[in-house]
Amino acid sequence: MSSVATNQKVEFGRVPLGRIAMWWVIASEVVIFGGLITCYLLYRIRYPEWGHEAAHTNTWLGALNTFVLLTSSFTIVLAHAASTKGELKKVWLYSLCTILGGFIFLGVKAVEYTTEIHHGFTITKSVFWSFYYVMTGLHASHVIAGMTAIFVVALKARKGEHLHRVEMAGLYWHFVDVVWIFLFPLLYIAK
Amino acid sequence: MNFLPENIATYGTQIDGLAALISWLGLTSFVLAEAALVYAAFRYRRSEKRKRAAYIKGESWGQAKWIFIPLILVVLLDIFIDIKTTAVWKQVKIDLPTADMNVRIVGQQFNWQFTHPGKDGKLGTEDDVKTTNELHVPVDTNVVFELGAKDVLHSFFVPALRLTQDAVPGRFIHGWFNATKPGKYEIACGQICGTGHTGMRGMLIVHNKEEFQKWVENPVTGGSTDPMEILKGNGCTSCHSVDGTRVVGPSYKGIWGRSETVITDGAERQVVVDEAYIKKSIREPKADTVKGYPAGVMPAGTLSDADIDVLIKYFKTLK
Amino acid sequence: MSHAMHAAPTSFLRKYVFATDHKVIGMQYLITGILMALVGGFLSYLFRMQLAFPGESIPGFGKLAASQYNIAITMHGTIMVFWVAMPILLAAFGNFLIPLMVGADDMAFPTLNMMSYQVFFISTVILLVSFFVPGGAFAAGWTAYPPLSAGTYAGSKDFLSNMGGHLWIIAIALEFIAFLMGGINFLVTSFNMRAPGLSWFRLPVVVWMLDLAVLLFMFSIGPLLAGAIMLLFDRTVGTGFYDPAQGGDPILFQHLFWFFGHPEVYVMLLPTLGFLCEILATFARKPIFGYKYILYFTFGAALLSFIVWAHHQFVSGINPRMANFFSLTTLLISVPFTVIVFASIATLWRGNIQFSVPMLWAVGFVAEFMIGGVTGVYLGSSAFDIYAHDTYFVIAHFHYALIPTVVFGGFAAIHFWYPKFMGRMPNETLGKWHFWITAIAFNGIFLPLFFTGLMGEHRRIFDYSAWPSLMTDEMKLYRKFATTSLLVLLAAQPLFFINMIYSYFKGAWAVNNPYKANSLEWSVPSPPPHGNFTEVPTVYRGAYEFSVPGREADYWPQDAKS
């Protein structure tokens, strides 16, 4: 049976579909992380002694991770630029670089967690550490999600399929980066 | 048509007055609006006479004013109510009068612990009078309380005082009241606190001034001869039934003289339920737990020997 | 960005289980919601029987223990809000209506839509499973305040059902995620797939309301999702986010909960306000009065809804000075809804009203919701709330707001769009009996509870026998009256089911536009075929051109050229 032109959503598209969807996802995540971060801030203001606890996070490793994420955000921008020009090999390459950045980030975090737990700073040590592990843990799970998304998109993109999705995955990755930009000073710098 | 219970608080009059104001304003607007709705619904029903609706979009001011003018009235009424509310709220919750008497109230699962200043009139000294479930105050006295909770959220609700304040573990919240009439008034827990929430009942006992002095000299609590009054008043019936049903703890039915397996310090042993065992179970509930029942749940009761005797007499009849 | 239209599915699994068609997904949400309403209703039967006849064996169940009572009230609230109101009003009707009303063949992301239902389905299963784990389902109130809900106090691990509570949190989190996934579709479809000529201000009110509801949900849910994760960690790992002994704060959870909880009631209300507009206009044969004002005031209400939340916490231990702010904003939030009530009355004014079953439910909604609104003033006033908080007055108030919203609104929508989606006309006689008995019985349940609340009856109590002042003959009578009314209401519901099922098989065939309405869903066959429209419609006017002077017909479909 005949049905209406299904490019309707493209033809009448006032805003590219994928972009609204991705902004929706990002907005909802902002509110989730925002809620967590606000709670942390309220507690932190009420309990200045958390500064002592925060002294035990490793600022250098945190800074390294910040650098790693920022670089990976840069590489995904390069991937996006390549996707608009149809340079499939570069799309694949830069996507892999971004994912590598994600792995490095996770690796550093693993080192941090191990050291901290080894020194007795577990999730139940104090509410500061509870927040630390929940916030960075939630963030890390989003890093993994982002890496997966970029990989899946890049697999198709290297064949020239759905190139527009590189931008969407990149948007998500930038969001993940921005959350870290908030977490870093809150957990590592404010001591 | 007053459904509110008797008010004995000084500020209760203002709270009731606020309710009356809201009732008058609210009821009037409500009746008018419903009348308009019902009228419109009936008057403009489809019928032989009525064949077509009017094409009214409600966007011009001439039409929309029918909504906006009543709306402005509603806003003004709301603001009026809010101004009155703020004044009453300030009196009850923000301003703390100079205390004629301080008390400490702690809610726990599932009873109220009250600490009154003793003969020295000061709270926090050796001679403080501690009671379970009975708050004793003199009439016409500014009582300032500090309210806390031991385990979970509770809420100190005294309908006759029109007073509610949640009790939060980890902090003490201050409030006050001034009771204007002697008598006994129920205290409820207004926040779900577990399985025993139902039975968590206290009593506010307002004495006239001489009687209160006498009570402070010789603080007696309980003294009821009715076993059910004691059991309910102390929250026992929240967890123990009298008819054999298992609620949280063992039922009292058939308990007297029964041979029971209990767990003491991790090891099982046999006991016979006698006067000594009952007194220990009430005053040190964590010492022995009947096998098959949850440990560490029952809070210590502060019943007097006289009260416990009344209970034992009653248990003997519960076969 | 091309995307081939899914070809019409042929296998049973693809058609009804793993469906991507918005109409089927809408039906999946609707049926799940109705089934869960039976569960939630059964729970209310249990606790109301216990309240009216304390300690007696309940027919069909047996004796209700105190711990079971707490489970019943907790799960009743949870189910009714998250597994009945939201799936029926928002998910089912959003899915049914939005693509059709904008002139689209389906939602923008049909696969994502399917997945949202699947996540929702899983959340439903987890919630139901929680009844059967050791210790039973969650029992700390649907509001789940810690420390009781966090199990972080001494002795608690023996006491509270642990697994039930963990599953509750997980089920709720999944439900939130399902609605976030579904919400993208509502917005993107409304944004991008409107037919030519269908500008925003020509859309039916209900599309606006559904989109706004979904936005409200998304913006308010984040903090609670964070808070729920924190609660789960407190329960399972032993963190102390809400444990004062570890430096945590129980009241933090209340803020997180109600920051969501208040907008949530508007998430439930807005779709019903949308249904109201469609139904009133159609059966009064008049344009909706003040279309733009309704929209603007609703936006205002949505914004305002983010700054009223602590009216649930006046006596919770928050800084008393904060209460003044929230009291003012709460009293003011009545304003937008007053506009809508007045606009509804004005829509009927000089109309040509036919009291079909949907119209009965719609007008009934306005009449009853007003009671919820007016009684809200008592509670929004912080000083009176000192007394009324956590009494039955609150229960009566919110049921007078929620039951018109969910029950009256839900039945109105189901009856109104039944012909469109089932292809048959529902039975008017059965519908009318169902309406009158339900509407009258509903008042019998909750009116007495205002009075018992004023008399000091506090909430979440299993048995009032320990309370002499609450065991007066008058109060016992009110409780029995309320319970009896509930029995009557429950007894009337089979009329609805019989109507729905019988009409599906034996009802008169429905034409495209049985009510002579204007919006685009009425321009396609009943039920619409796969892909909805044979060709993309063009829209020439708004959705409420009824009784236009000079036209013989008293309606003017949006896509009619002349």
Side-chain angles (χ1 to χ4, degrees), chain B residues 8-10 98-101 137-143 161 176-183 185 205-210 212:
Chain B
I8 62 158
T10 47
T98 352
D100 298 324
M101 174 181 174
V137 299
V139 75
D140 296 326
T141 307
N142 283 343
V143 178
L161 292 176
W176 74 282
F177 62 86
N178 184 317
T180 59
K181 183 172 169 204
Y185 308 97
I205 298 167
V206 183
H207 300 266
N208 65 40
K209 298 245 165 111
E210 306 84 55
F212 182 72

PDB file of all heavy atoms in Angstrom, chain B residues 8-10 98-101 137-143 161 176-183 185 205-210 212:
ATOM      1  N   ILE B   8      -6.319  24.153  72.234  1.00  0.00           N
ATOM      2  CA  ILE B   8      -5.868  24.647  73.542  1.00  0.00           C
ATOM      3  C   ILE B   8      -4.589  25.460  73.429  1.00  0.00           C
ATOM      4  O   ILE B   8      -3.965  25.773  74.434  1.00  0.00           O
ATOM      5  CB  ILE B   8      -5.641  23.491  74.532  1.00  0.00           C
ATOM      6  CG1 ILE B   8      -4.538  22.559  74.005  1.00  0.00           C
ATOM      7  CG2 ILE B   8      -6.928  22.728  74.791  1.00  0.00           C
ATOM      8  CD1 ILE B   8      -3.887  21.734  75.100  1.00  0.00           C
ATOM      9  N   ALA B   9      -4.178  25.804  72.206  1.00  0.00           N
ATOM     10  CA  ALA B   9      -2.930  26.552  72.062  1.00  0.00           C
ATOM     11  C   ALA B   9      -3.242  28.031  71.888  1.00  0.00           C
ATOM     12  O   ALA B   9      -4.248  28.393  71.298  1.00  0.00           O
ATOM     13  CB  ALA B   9      -2.155  26.048  70.859  1.00  0.00           C
ATOM     14  N   THR B  10      -2.335  28.857  72.365  1.00  0.00           N
ATOM     15  CA  THR B  10      -2.536  30.297  72.181  1.00  0.00           C
ATOM     16  C   THR B  10      -2.586  30.623  70.694  1.00  0.00           C
ATOM     17  O   THR B  10      -3.502  31.292  70.226  1.00  0.00           O
ATOM     18  CB  THR B  10      -1.393  31.103  72.823  1.00  0.00           C
ATOM     19  OG1 THR B  10      -0.138  30.518  72.428  1.00  0.00           O
ATOM     20  CG2 THR B  10      -1.500  31.078  74.340  1.00  0.00           C
ATOM     21  N   THR B  98      10.425  33.920  75.036  1.00  0.00           N
ATOM     22  CA  THR B  98      11.308  33.517  76.143  1.00  0.00           C
ATOM     23  C   THR B  98      10.675  32.322  76.817  1.00  0.00           C
ATOM     24  O   THR B  98       9.485  32.319  77.114  1.00  0.00           O
ATOM     25  CB  THR B  98      11.421  34.630  77.199  1.00  0.00           C
ATOM     26  OG1 THR B  98      10.788  35.775  76.690  1.00  0.00           O
ATOM     27  CG2 THR B  98      12.858  34.883  77.563  1.00  0.00           C
ATOM     28  N   ALA B  99      11.509  31.341  77.056  1.00  0.00           N
ATOM     29  CA  ALA B  99      10.964  30.087  77.565  1.00  0.00           C
ATOM     30  C   ALA B  99      10.663  30.186  79.057  1.00  0.00           C
ATOM     31  O   ALA B  99      11.490  30.611  79.840  1.00  0.00           O
ATOM     32  CB  ALA B  99      11.960  28.972  77.331  1.00  0.00           C
ATOM     33  N   ASP B 100       9.426  29.791  79.409  1.00  0.00           N
ATOM     34  CA  ASP B 100       9.149  29.587  80.825  1.00  0.00           C
ATOM     35  C   ASP B 100       9.626  28.203  81.227  1.00  0.00           C
ATOM     36  O   ASP B 100       9.896  27.930  82.395  1.00  0.00           O
ATOM     37  CB  ASP B 100       7.642  29.697  81.108  1.00  0.00           C
ATOM     38  CG  ASP B 100       7.112  31.075  80.755  1.00  0.00           C
ATOM     39  OD1 ASP B 100       7.849  32.061  80.960  1.00  0.00           O
ATOM     40  OD2 ASP B 100       5.960  31.160  80.272  1.00  0.00           O
ATOM     41  N   MET B 101       9.673  27.324  80.226  1.00  0.00           N
ATOM     42  CA  MET B 101      10.070  25.936  80.505  1.00  0.00           C
ATOM     43  C   MET B 101      10.664  25.345  79.230  1.00  0.00           C
ATOM     44  O   MET B 101      10.155  25.580  78.143  1.00  0.00           O
ATOM     45  CB  MET B 101       8.832  25.145  80.914  1.00  0.00           C
ATOM     46  CG  MET B 101       9.073  23.668  81.079  1.00  0.00           C
ATOM     47  SD  MET B 101       7.513  22.859  81.532  1.00  0.00           S
ATOM     48  CE  MET B 101       7.991  21.158  81.482  1.00  0.00           C
ATOM     49  N   VAL B 137       3.305  19.336  81.214  1.00  0.00           N
ATOM     50  CA  VAL B 137       3.582  20.773  81.230  1.00  0.00           C
ATOM     51  C   VAL B 137       2.533  21.476  82.072  1.00  0.00           C
ATOM     52  O   VAL B 137       1.415  20.975  82.236  1.00  0.00           O
ATOM     53  CB  VAL B 137       3.584  21.381  79.813  1.00  0.00           C
ATOM     54  CG1 VAL B 137       4.641  20.748  78.944  1.00  0.00           C
ATOM     55  CG2 VAL B 137       2.216  21.300  79.182  1.00  0.00           C
ATOM     56  N   PRO B 138       2.900  22.633  82.594  1.00  0.00           N
ATOM     57  CA  PRO B 138       1.885  23.422  83.296  1.00  0.00           C
ATOM     58  C   PRO B 138       1.084  24.258  82.304  1.00  0.00           C
ATOM     59  O   PRO B 138       1.558  24.546  81.197  1.00  0.00           O
ATOM     60  CB  PRO B 138       2.716  24.317  84.220  1.00  0.00           C
ATOM     61  CG  PRO B 138       4.046  24.401  83.570  1.00  0.00           C
ATOM     62  CD  PRO B 138       4.234  23.214  82.692  1.00  0.00           C
ATOM     63  N   VAL B 139      -0.090  24.675  82.729  1.00  0.00           N
ATOM     64  CA  VAL B 139      -0.954  25.466  81.853  1.00  0.00           C
ATOM     65  C   VAL B 139      -0.383  26.873  81.712  1.00  0.00           C
ATOM     66  O   VAL B 139       0.407  27.319  82.546  1.00  0.00           O
ATOM     67  CB  VAL B 139      -2.375  25.477  82.468  1.00  0.00           C
ATOM     68  CG1 VAL B 139      -2.433  26.403  83.662  1.00  0.00           C
ATOM     69  CG2 VAL B 139      -3.423  25.808  81.431  1.00  0.00           C
ATOM     70  N   ASP B 140      -0.775  27.572  80.645  1.00  0.00           N
ATOM     71  CA  ASP B 140      -0.404  28.976  80.427  1.00  0.00           C
ATOM     72  C   ASP B 140       1.101  29.227  80.556  1.00  0.00           C
ATOM     73  O   ASP B 140       1.528  30.211  81.166  1.00  0.00           O
ATOM     74  CB  ASP B 140      -1.146  29.894  81.430  1.00  0.00           C
ATOM     75  CG  ASP B 140      -2.646  29.849  81.196  1.00  0.00           C
ATOM     76  OD1 ASP B 140      -3.062  29.719  80.029  1.00  0.00           O
ATOM     77  OD2 ASP B 140      -3.400  29.931  82.183  1.00  0.00           O
ATOM     78  N   THR B 141       1.868  28.327  80.039  1.00  0.00           N
ATOM     79  CA  THR B 141       3.331  28.442  80.149  1.00  0.00           C
ATOM     80  C   THR B 141       3.944  28.366  78.769  1.00  0.00           C
ATOM     81  O   THR B 141       3.549  27.507  77.979  1.00  0.00           O
ATOM     82  CB  THR B 141       3.879  27.270  80.994  1.00  0.00           C
ATOM     83  OG1 THR B 141       3.183  27.218  82.220  1.00  0.00           O
ATOM     84  CG2 THR B 141       5.370  27.414  81.237  1.00  0.00           C
ATOM     85  N   ASN B 142       4.903  29.254  78.475  1.00  0.00           N
ATOM     86  CA  ASN B 142       5.617  29.149  77.205  1.00  0.00           C
ATOM     87  C   ASN B 142       6.597  27.999  77.278  1.00  0.00           C
ATOM     88  O   ASN B 142       7.637  28.078  77.943  1.00  0.00           O
ATOM     89  CB  ASN B 142       6.381  30.450  76.909  1.00  0.00           C
ATOM     90  CG  ASN B 142       5.456  31.536  76.416  1.00  0.00           C
ATOM     91  OD1 ASN B 142       4.340  31.279  75.997  1.00  0.00           O
ATOM     92  ND2 ASN B 142       5.916  32.776  76.482  1.00  0.00           N
ATOM     93  N   VAL B 143       6.259  26.920  76.632  1.00  0.00           N
ATOM     94  CA  VAL B 143       7.133  25.750  76.620  1.00  0.00           C
ATOM     95  C   VAL B 143       7.932  25.780  75.324  1.00  0.00           C
ATOM     96  O   VAL B 143       7.360  25.764  74.237  1.00  0.00           O
ATOM     97  CB  VAL B 143       6.306  24.449  76.666  1.00  0.00           C
ATOM     98  CG1 VAL B 143       7.225  23.239  76.611  1.00  0.00           C
ATOM     99  CG2 VAL B 143       5.432  24.422  77.903  1.00  0.00           C
ATOM    100  N   LEU B 161      -2.991  21.267  69.903  1.00  0.00           N
ATOM    101  CA  LEU B 161      -2.154  22.459  69.868  1.00  0.00           C
ATOM    102  C   LEU B 161      -2.039  23.010  68.458  1.00  0.00           C
ATOM    103  O   LEU B 161      -1.404  24.044  68.252  1.00  0.00           O
ATOM    104  CB  LEU B 161      -0.736  22.134  70.365  1.00  0.00           C
ATOM    105  CG  LEU B 161      -0.554  21.787  71.837  1.00  0.00           C
ATOM    106  CD1 LEU B 161       0.910  21.402  72.087  1.00  0.00           C
ATOM    107  CD2 LEU B 161      -0.944  22.948  72.732  1.00  0.00           C
ATOM    108  N   TRP B 176       7.812  25.941  69.913  1.00  0.00           N
ATOM    109  CA  TRP B 176       7.217  26.330  71.188  1.00  0.00           C
ATOM    110  C   TRP B 176       5.702  26.159  71.136  1.00  0.00           C
ATOM    111  O   TRP B 176       5.090  26.079  70.080  1.00  0.00           O
ATOM    112  CB  TRP B 176       7.564  27.779  71.526  1.00  0.00           C
ATOM    113  CG  TRP B 176       6.795  28.775  70.702  1.00  0.00           C
ATOM    114  CD1 TRP B 176       7.039  29.134  69.408  1.00  0.00           C
ATOM    115  CD2 TRP B 176       5.649  29.534  71.119  1.00  0.00           C
ATOM    116  NE1 TRP B 176       6.143  30.062  68.995  1.00  0.00           N
ATOM    117  CE2 TRP B 176       5.267  30.340  70.022  1.00  0.00           C
ATOM    118  CE3 TRP B 176       4.921  29.623  72.322  1.00  0.00           C
ATOM    119  CZ2 TRP B 176       4.184  31.209  70.077  1.00  0.00           C
ATOM    120  CZ3 TRP B 176       3.850  30.495  72.380  1.00  0.00           C
ATOM    121  CH2 TRP B 176       3.478  31.278  71.260  1.00  0.00           C
ATOM    122  N   PHE B 177       5.122  26.123  72.326  1.00  0.00           N
ATOM    123  CA  PHE B 177       3.672  26.177  72.425  1.00  0.00           C
ATOM    124  C   PHE B 177       3.300  26.663  73.809  1.00  0.00           C
ATOM    125  O   PHE B 177       4.126  26.665  74.731  1.00  0.00           O
ATOM    126  CB  PHE B 177       3.029  24.813  72.147  1.00  0.00           C
ATOM    127  CG  PHE B 177       3.400  23.725  73.112  1.00  0.00           C
ATOM    128  CD1 PHE B 177       2.695  23.548  74.305  1.00  0.00           C
ATOM    129  CD2 PHE B 177       4.451  22.856  72.832  1.00  0.00           C
ATOM    130  CE1 PHE B 177       3.043  22.545  75.206  1.00  0.00           C
ATOM    131  CE2 PHE B 177       4.795  21.845  73.718  1.00  0.00           C
ATOM    132  CZ  PHE B 177       4.097  21.690  74.908  1.00  0.00           C
ATOM    133  N   ASN B 178       2.058  27.086  73.936  1.00  0.00           N
ATOM    134  CA  ASN B 178       1.538  27.526  75.222  1.00  0.00           C
ATOM    135  C   ASN B 178       0.120  26.969  75.336  1.00  0.00           C
ATOM    136  O   ASN B 178      -0.778  27.372  74.599  1.00  0.00           O
ATOM    137  CB  ASN B 178       1.541  29.060  75.290  1.00  0.00           C
ATOM    138  CG  ASN B 178       1.106  29.559  76.653  1.00  0.00           C
ATOM    139  OD1 ASN B 178       0.163  29.065  77.261  1.00  0.00           O
ATOM    140  ND2 ASN B 178       1.808  30.572  77.149  1.00  0.00           N
ATOM    141  N   ALA B 179      -0.044  26.002  76.249  1.00  0.00           N
ATOM    142  CA  ALA B 179      -1.336  25.323  76.385  1.00  0.00           C
ATOM    143  C   ALA B 179      -2.213  26.076  77.390  1.00  0.00           C
ATOM    144  O   ALA B 179      -1.762  26.413  78.483  1.00  0.00           O
ATOM    145  CB  ALA B 179      -1.119  23.893  76.858  1.00  0.00           C
ATOM    146  N   THR B 180      -3.458  26.310  77.001  1.00  0.00           N
ATOM    147  CA  THR B 180      -4.308  27.169  77.822  1.00  0.00           C
ATOM    148  C   THR B 180      -5.338  26.415  78.650  1.00  0.00           C
ATOM    149  O   THR B 180      -6.153  27.029  79.329  1.00  0.00           O
ATOM    150  CB  THR B 180      -5.071  28.164  76.929  1.00  0.00           C
ATOM    151  OG1 THR B 180      -5.852  27.397  75.995  1.00  0.00           O
ATOM    152  CG2 THR B 180      -4.123  29.075  76.183  1.00  0.00           C
ATOM    153  N   LYS B 181      -5.355  25.089  78.558  1.00  0.00           N
ATOM    154  CA  LYS B 181      -6.391  24.363  79.295  1.00  0.00           C
ATOM    155  C   LYS B 181      -5.833  23.041  79.794  1.00  0.00           C
ATOM    156  O   LYS B 181      -5.277  22.259  79.018  1.00  0.00           O
ATOM    157  CB  LYS B 181      -7.559  24.102  78.351  1.00  0.00           C
ATOM    158  CG  LYS B 181      -8.725  23.433  79.012  1.00  0.00           C
ATOM    159  CD  LYS B 181      -9.915  23.381  78.053  1.00  0.00           C
ATOM    160  CE  LYS B 181     -11.000  22.462  78.629  1.00  0.00           C
ATOM    161  NZ  LYS B 181     -11.876  21.923  77.644  1.00  0.00           N
ATOM    162  N   PRO B 182      -6.003  22.765  81.090  1.00  0.00           N
ATOM    163  CA  PRO B 182      -5.512  21.473  81.598  1.00  0.00           C
ATOM    164  C   PRO B 182      -6.276  20.320  80.970  1.00  0.00           C
ATOM    165  O   PRO B 182      -7.422  20.464  80.551  1.00  0.00           O
ATOM    166  CB  PRO B 182      -5.808  21.547  83.108  1.00  0.00           C
ATOM    167  CG  PRO B 182      -6.027  22.983  83.405  1.00  0.00           C
ATOM    168  CD  PRO B 182      -6.563  23.604  82.158  1.00  0.00           C
ATOM    169  N   GLY B 183      -5.614  19.183  80.905  1.00  0.00           N
ATOM    170  CA  GLY B 183      -6.269  17.997  80.348  1.00  0.00           C
ATOM    171  C   GLY B 183      -5.243  17.076  79.732  1.00  0.00           C
ATOM    172  O   GLY B 183      -4.040  17.314  79.790  1.00  0.00           O
ATOM    173  N   TYR B 185      -4.109  15.223  76.146  1.00  0.00           N
ATOM    174  CA  TYR B 185      -4.283  15.399  74.703  1.00  0.00           C
ATOM    175  C   TYR B 185      -3.338  14.464  73.967  1.00  0.00           C
ATOM    176  O   TYR B 185      -2.191  14.294  74.363  1.00  0.00           O
ATOM    177  CB  TYR B 185      -4.006  16.853  74.313  1.00  0.00           C
ATOM    178  CG  TYR B 185      -4.790  17.834  75.154  1.00  0.00           C
ATOM    179  CD1 TYR B 185      -4.211  18.446  76.261  1.00  0.00           C
ATOM    180  CD2 TYR B 185      -6.124  18.126  74.854  1.00  0.00           C
ATOM    181  CE1 TYR B 185      -4.937  19.324  77.047  1.00  0.00           C
ATOM    182  CE2 TYR B 185      -6.853  19.001  75.630  1.00  0.00           C
ATOM    183  CZ  TYR B 185      -6.261  19.596  76.735  1.00  0.00           C
ATOM    184  OH  TYR B 185      -6.983  20.463  77.518  1.00  0.00           O
ATOM    185  N   ILE B 205       0.121  16.039  78.785  1.00  0.00           N
ATOM    186  CA  ILE B 205      -0.674  16.203  80.003  1.00  0.00           C
ATOM    187  C   ILE B 205      -0.428  17.601  80.539  1.00  0.00           C
ATOM    188  O   ILE B 205       0.683  17.940  80.970  1.00  0.00           O
ATOM    189  CB  ILE B 205      -0.289  15.124  81.022  1.00  0.00           C
ATOM    190  CG1 ILE B 205      -0.612  13.769  80.386  1.00  0.00           C
ATOM    191  CG2 ILE B 205      -1.060  15.314  82.329  1.00  0.00           C
ATOM    192  CD1 ILE B 205      -0.023  12.589  81.092  1.00  0.00           C
ATOM    193  N   VAL B 206      -1.477  18.403  80.459  1.00  0.00           N
ATOM    194  CA  VAL B 206      -1.376  19.795  80.913  1.00  0.00           C
ATOM    195  C   VAL B 206      -1.943  19.873  82.321  1.00  0.00           C
ATOM    196  O   VAL B 206      -3.111  19.559  82.547  1.00  0.00           O
ATOM    197  CB  VAL B 206      -2.159  20.731  79.966  1.00  0.00           C
ATOM    198  CG1 VAL B 206      -1.996  22.183  80.409  1.00  0.00           C
ATOM    199  CG2 VAL B 206      -1.693  20.551  78.538  1.00  0.00           C
ATOM    200  N   HIS B 207      -1.083  20.273  83.253  1.00  0.00           N
ATOM    201  CA  HIS B 207      -1.525  20.388  84.650  1.00  0.00           C
ATOM    202  C   HIS B 207      -1.807  21.833  84.995  1.00  0.00           C
ATOM    203  O   HIS B 207      -1.203  22.727  84.409  1.00  0.00           O
ATOM    204  CB  HIS B 207      -0.401  19.944  85.590  1.00  0.00           C
ATOM    205  CG  HIS B 207       0.049  18.542  85.403  1.00  0.00           C
ATOM    206  ND1 HIS B 207      -0.449  17.487  86.141  1.00  0.00           N
ATOM    207  CD2 HIS B 207       0.979  18.011  84.572  1.00  0.00           C
ATOM    208  CE1 HIS B 207       0.155  16.375  85.773  1.00  0.00           C
ATOM    209  NE2 HIS B 207       1.029  16.646  84.832  1.00  0.00           N
ATOM    210  N   ASN B 208      -2.666  22.059  85.975  1.00  0.00           N
ATOM    211  CA  ASN B 208      -2.697  23.421  86.495  1.00  0.00           C
ATOM    212  C   ASN B 208      -1.442  23.602  87.345  1.00  0.00           C
ATOM    213  O   ASN B 208      -0.751  22.637  87.667  1.00  0.00           O
ATOM    214  CB  ASN B 208      -3.991  23.729  87.251  1.00  0.00           C
ATOM    215  CG  ASN B 208      -4.155  22.897  88.508  1.00  0.00           C
ATOM    216  OD1 ASN B 208      -3.189  22.655  89.251  1.00  0.00           O
ATOM    217  ND2 ASN B 208      -5.370  22.432  88.744  1.00  0.00           N
ATOM    218  N   LYS B 209      -1.154  24.856  87.679  1.00  0.00           N
ATOM    219  CA  LYS B 209       0.201  25.153  88.164  1.00  0.00           C
ATOM    220  C   LYS B 209       0.573  24.416  89.454  1.00  0.00           C
ATOM    221  O   LYS B 209       1.699  23.929  89.602  1.00  0.00           O
ATOM    222  CB  LYS B 209       0.379  26.682  88.349  1.00  0.00           C
ATOM    223  CG  LYS B 209       0.217  27.479  87.030  1.00  0.00           C
ATOM    224  CD  LYS B 209       1.488  28.178  86.595  1.00  0.00           C
ATOM    225  CE  LYS B 209       1.417  28.622  85.149  1.00  0.00           C
ATOM    226  NZ  LYS B 209       1.341  30.047  84.883  1.00  0.00           N
ATOM    227  N   GLU B 210      -0.402  24.288  90.375  1.00  0.00           N
ATOM    228  CA  GLU B 210      -0.042  23.617  91.642  1.00  0.00           C
ATOM    229  C   GLU B 210       0.210  22.145  91.400  1.00  0.00           C
ATOM    230  O   GLU B 210       1.154  21.556  91.936  1.00  0.00           O
ATOM    231  CB  GLU B 210      -1.155  23.751  92.700  1.00  0.00           C
ATOM    232  CG  GLU B 210      -1.615  25.164  92.990  1.00  0.00           C
ATOM    233  CD  GLU B 210      -2.660  25.616  92.000  1.00  0.00           C
ATOM    234  OE1 GLU B 210      -3.693  24.908  91.841  1.00  0.00           O
ATOM    235  OE2 GLU B 210      -2.435  26.660  91.378  1.00  0.00           O
ATOM    236  N   PHE B 212       1.212  20.749  88.764  1.00  0.00           N
ATOM    237  CA  PHE B 212       2.462  20.529  88.041  1.00  0.00           C
ATOM    238  C   PHE B 212       3.621  20.520  89.032  1.00  0.00           C
ATOM    239  O   PHE B 212       4.517  19.678  88.953  1.00  0.00           O
ATOM    240  CB  PHE B 212       2.669  21.587  86.967  1.00  0.00           C
ATOM    241  CG  PHE B 212       3.926  21.356  86.190  1.00  0.00           C
ATOM    242  CD1 PHE B 212       4.009  20.312  85.280  1.00  0.00           C
ATOM    243  CD2 PHE B 212       5.047  22.158  86.378  1.00  0.00           C
ATOM    244  CE1 PHE B 212       5.172  20.076  84.576  1.00  0.00           C
ATOM    245  CE2 PHE B 212       6.213  21.928  85.665  1.00  0.00           C
ATOM    246  CZ  PHE B 212       6.284  20.884  84.765  1.00  0.00           C
TER     247      PHE B 212
END
